[in-house]
C-alpha cells in the first residue's frame, strides 16, 4: 500500500508521517484492548483521558513549554483564534498587528471588529516577499499585544527572529511552522496553530498561553471563545476534537522518537537547502521571497511564464507529486515541505525541476 503513496506537497491538510498513519490504522478497530476505536470513545473515559494527558504532556516536553503556560485544544482551526485573540487579550482596546501575508491580514481585519488596531508593518505593496526587520516595525508603546504570523504559508516567508517589544506580549500564529524547529516559548505571550499542517489533522487548534495574560471576557463572549473557561475545563467544556488530539499525540510521539525539534530543524534545513540551492543557480526558475526571509516549510517560485507554471503542475502530477500549484492569490508553484515530507520527496522534486527546465527552456 505504501508504495502507491504520492509525495503530497499540499500546504494543508498535508502529509502525515507513514509511521503515524500505520499506528492509527493498527489501533483503528481496537485501541489497546478497549474493544473500540478512539473515535468511538467517551471523551471522559479513562482510555481517552490517558491519550489526552499523554498528548498534552508530549507537547509540553517537545516544545519545552514553561510551567506558567497553559495548553488549550480548541475547535475552529487557526481562524477561530483570529477572533479569540482580540476577544480575550485586548486589555485597553489597542493592539499591534504586522501584516506579512494573507493570514495576518485576515487576523488584523478580524481584530478591527473589536478594537483599535495599529498596523506596525504592511508588506502588501511588495508582494509579501519580505519580513520586516526590527527597524521596520512601527511598534506602539501601549499595545495589549503584537500579533505576528511566524510563517507565511501562501507567500513562503518566515520570521527568523523574535522582535523586541519592550514587554508587549507577542502573539504568534505558527500554524505552518510549529514543531518544525525549536522555539523559545518564553519569548511569546501566546502561540497558536491549526493542526492540519505540521501537527496532524484538521478540526483542532492548539493554543499555548502565558497564564498571566488570561482575563475575564465581556459577558457577550460565546463560551467556546473564552480561553479562561476553556482552560478551567481543561479543553473539555464540551466534547473536544478527540480523534484529532489523538493524531497529534501520535505525531508528537514520532517527533520525540526521532530526537525532537533540533532533529526536525536539521531535517527541514537540509530539505529546504536542496530546493533553494537549485532555485538560486537556475536562470529558469525564480524564487518568490527575499533570500533572508525564506520559509523552511513553504517554498514558492515561478517558471518563466504562467503557461509553463501550469505545465509544471500538470507534469508533476504525472510524475507522482501532488499539490504543487501555488495558492490562487499568488500563482506559480508552491512546494510545502513540512516535517512529514521525506528527503527523498524533495530529491524527487528537484530532479523533476531539473528535467522540466531542460525540456522547456
Ligand atoms: C492555514 C493557516 C491558517 C488557517 O488555518 P485554519 O485552521 O484553516 O483556520 C491560519 N494561519 C496560517 C499561518 C495558516 O497557515
Amino acid at each position: 500500500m505504501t508504495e502507491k503513496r504520492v509525495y503530497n506537497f499540499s500546504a494543508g491538510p498535508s502529509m502525515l508521517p507513514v509511521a503515524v498513519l500505520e499506528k492509527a490504522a493498527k489501533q483503528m478497530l481496537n485501541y489497546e484492548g478497549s474493544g473500540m476505536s478512539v473515535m468511538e470513545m467517551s471523551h471522559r473515559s479513562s482510555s481517552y483521558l490517558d491519550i489526552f494527558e499523554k498528548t498534552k504532556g508530549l507537547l509540553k516536553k517537545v516544545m519545552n513549554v514553561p510551567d506558567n503556560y497553559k495548553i488549550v485544544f480548541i475547535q475552529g482551526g487557526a481562524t477561530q483564534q483570529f477572533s479569540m485573540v482580540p476577544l480575550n487579550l485586548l486589555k485597553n482596546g489597542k493592539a499591534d498587528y504586522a501584516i506579512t501575508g494573507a493570514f495576518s491580514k485576515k487576523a488584523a481585519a478580524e481584530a478591527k471588529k473589536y478594537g483599535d488596531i495599529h498596523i506596525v508593518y504592511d508588506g502588501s505593496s511588495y508582494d509579501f516577499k519580505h519580513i520586516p526587520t526590527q527597524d521596520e516595525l512601527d511598534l506602539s508603546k501601549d499595545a495589549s499585544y503584537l500579533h505576528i504570523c511566524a510563517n507565511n504559508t501562501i507567500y513562503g516567508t518566515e520570521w527568523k527572529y523574535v522582535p523586541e517589544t519592550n514587554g508587549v506580549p507577542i502573539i504568534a500564529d505558527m500554524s505552518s511552522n510549529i514543531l518544525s524547529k525549536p522555539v523559545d516559548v518564553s519569548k511569546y505571550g501566546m502561540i497558536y496553530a491549526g493542526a492540519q499542517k505540521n501537527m496532524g489533522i484538521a478540526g483542532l487548534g492548539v493554543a499555548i498561553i502565558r497564564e498571566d495574560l488570561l482575563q475575564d471576557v465581556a459577558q457577550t463572549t460565546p463560551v467556546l471563545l473564552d480561553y479562561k473557561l476553556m482552560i478551567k475545563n481543561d479543553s473539555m467544556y464540551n466534547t473536544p476534537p478527540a480523534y484529532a488530539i489523538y493524531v497529534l499525540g501520535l505525531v508528537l510521539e514520532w517527533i520525540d522518537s526521532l530526537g525532537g525539534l533540533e532533529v526536525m530543524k536539521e531535517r527541514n534545513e537540509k530539505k529546504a537547502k536542496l530546493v533553494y540551492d537549485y532555485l538560486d543557480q537556475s536562470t529558469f526558475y525564480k524564487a518568490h521571497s527575499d533570500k533572508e526571509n525564506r520559509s523552511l516549510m513553504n517554498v514558492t517560485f515561478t517558471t518563466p511564464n504562467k503557461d509553463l507554471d501550469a505545465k509544471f503542475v500538470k507534469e508533476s502530477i504525472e510524475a507522482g507529486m501532488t499539490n504543487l500549484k501555488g495558492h490562487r492569490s499568488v500563482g506559480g508553484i508552491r512546494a510545502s515541505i513540512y516535517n512529514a515530507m521525506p528527503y527523498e520527496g524533495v530529491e524527487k522534486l528537484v530532479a523533476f525541476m531539473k528535467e522540466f527546465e531542460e525540456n522547456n527552456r
Side-chain angles (χ1 to χ4, degrees):
M1 207 164 79
T2 46
E3 61 272 15
K4 277 198 194 136
R5 283 177 58 80
V6 294
Y7 289 116
N8 178 7
F9 291 89
S10 170
S14 45
M15 278 184 98
L16 285 163
V18 170
V20 165
L21 294 171
E22 282 175 341
K23 186 150 187 198
K26 215 173 127 209
Q27 295 182 328
M28 180 60 74
L29 293 183
N30 186 352
Y31 177 81
E32 291 190 353
S34 64
M36 62 179 85
S37 79
V38 175
M39 291 182 212
E40 299 165 297
M41 282 177 188
S42 159
H43 58 292
R44 313 273 180 203
S45 66
S46 64
S47 289
Y48 189 73
L49 290 175
D50 280 352
I51 293 170
F52 185 87
E53 287 307 325
K54 197 185 74 187
T55 303
K56 227 169 58 169
L58 266 171
L59 183 60
K60 190 170 154 86
K61 177 188 172 198
V62 166
M63 284 192 69
N64 200 11
V65 178
D67 288 337
N68 60 327
Y69 285 73
K70 295 285 182 198
I71 294 170
V72 205
F73 299 128
I74 316 174
Q75 308 199 26
T79 306
Q80 184 167 299
Q81 303 303 304
F82 296 171
S83 321
M84 286 180 81
V85 165
L87 278 169
N88 285 265
L89 304 176
L90 274 174
K91 284 191 158 71
N92 55 0
K94 292 184 187 173
D96 281 356
Y97 276 71
I99 299 186
T100 52
F103 289 115
S104 47
K105 200 170 170 177
K106 280 187 177 167
E110 183 67 7
K112 276 182 185 163
K113 291 182 185 170
Y114 306 106
D116 177 7
I117 302 307
H118 171 64
I119 305 302
V120 298
Y121 174 84
D122 184 347
S124 53
S125 61
Y126 187 51
D127 287 341
F128 295 120
K129 293 174 185 195
H130 181 67
I131 293 292
T133 59
Q134 179 76 45
D135 290 345
E136 288 170 318
L137 293 171
D138 176 29
L139 301 173
S140 352
K141 285 196 178 65
D142 58 346
S144 307
Y145 58 82
L146 164 68
H147 181 280
I148 66 169
C149 179
N151 184 76
N152 298 281
T153 324
I154 293 175
Y155 295 91
T157 58
E158 185 167 11
W159 290 73
K160 308 283 181 184
Y161 74 104
V162 186
E164 177 50 62
T165 54
N166 293 310
V168 172
I170 298 172
I171 299 188
D173 175 358
M174 291 195 185
S175 293
S176 51
N177 69 348
I178 196 162
L179 304 179
S180 69
K181 60 182 181 187
V183 292
D184 182 351
V185 176
S186 74
K187 291 198 165 146
Y188 299 88
M190 174 180 154
I191 289 167
Y192 69 87
Q196 69 275 17
K197 278 120 190 193
N198 232 356
M199 299 188 111
I201 60 174
L204 168 67
V206 177
I208 304 169
I209 314 172
R210 215 176 69 204
E211 221 175 345
D212 63 286
L213 296 178
L214 294 167
Q215 53 184 5
D216 292 329
V217 291
Q219 270 210 324
T220 49
T221 309
V223 281
L224 292 179
L225 304 188
D226 179 346
Y227 287 132
K228 226 175 147 179
L229 186 80
M230 288 302 279
I231 287 166
K232 197 172 144 214
N233 290 279
D234 201 5
S235 306
M236 293 211 194
Y237 181 83
N238 69 334
T239 316
Y243 197 76
I245 294 170
Y246 158 76
V247 176
L248 168 60
L250 297 182
V251 168
L252 289 165
E253 234 172 49
W254 176 78
I255 291 172
D256 197 38
S257 72
L258 290 172
L261 296 186
E262 281 296 346
V263 173
M264 289 301 123
K265 182 176 178 227
E266 272 167 41
R267 288 163 52 114
N268 291 327
E269 282 176 347
K270 197 174 153 212
K271 286 185 287 178
K273 184 173 174 356
L274 196 62
V275 198
Y276 286 126
D277 280 354
Y278 185 72
L279 285 172
D280 284 342
Q281 58 75 49
S282 167
T283 51
F284 181 81
Y285 299 103
K286 194 168 172 297
H288 174 78
S289 42
D290 284 358
K291 208 165 177 173
E292 61 278 15
N293 304 135
R294 288 170 172 175
S295 166
L296 287 187
M297 298 283 97
N298 312 96
V299 182
T300 48
F301 60 94
T302 50
T303 69
N305 62 59
K306 286 201 167 83
D307 291 342
L308 283 175
D309 287 347
K311 192 172 177 214
F312 182 102
V313 171
K314 185 170 171 278
E315 291 181 7
S316 66
I317 294 168
E318 288 154 14
M321 291 172 283
T322 61
N323 289 308
L324 280 160
K325 190 170 193 271
H327 188 269
R328 58 190 184 279
S329 62
V330 191
I333 317 291
R334 172 174 55 175
S336 296
I337 50 175
Y338 298 119
N339 287 349
M341 173 59 69
Y343 187 73
E344 296 73 44
V346 182
E347 278 182 323
K348 183 167 171 160
L349 170 66
V350 172
F352 174 81
M353 287 167 70
K354 207 174 273 183
E355 197 189 316
F356 188 84
E357 174 172 347
E358 279 157 15
N359 294 339
N360 294 283
R361 72 158 92 249

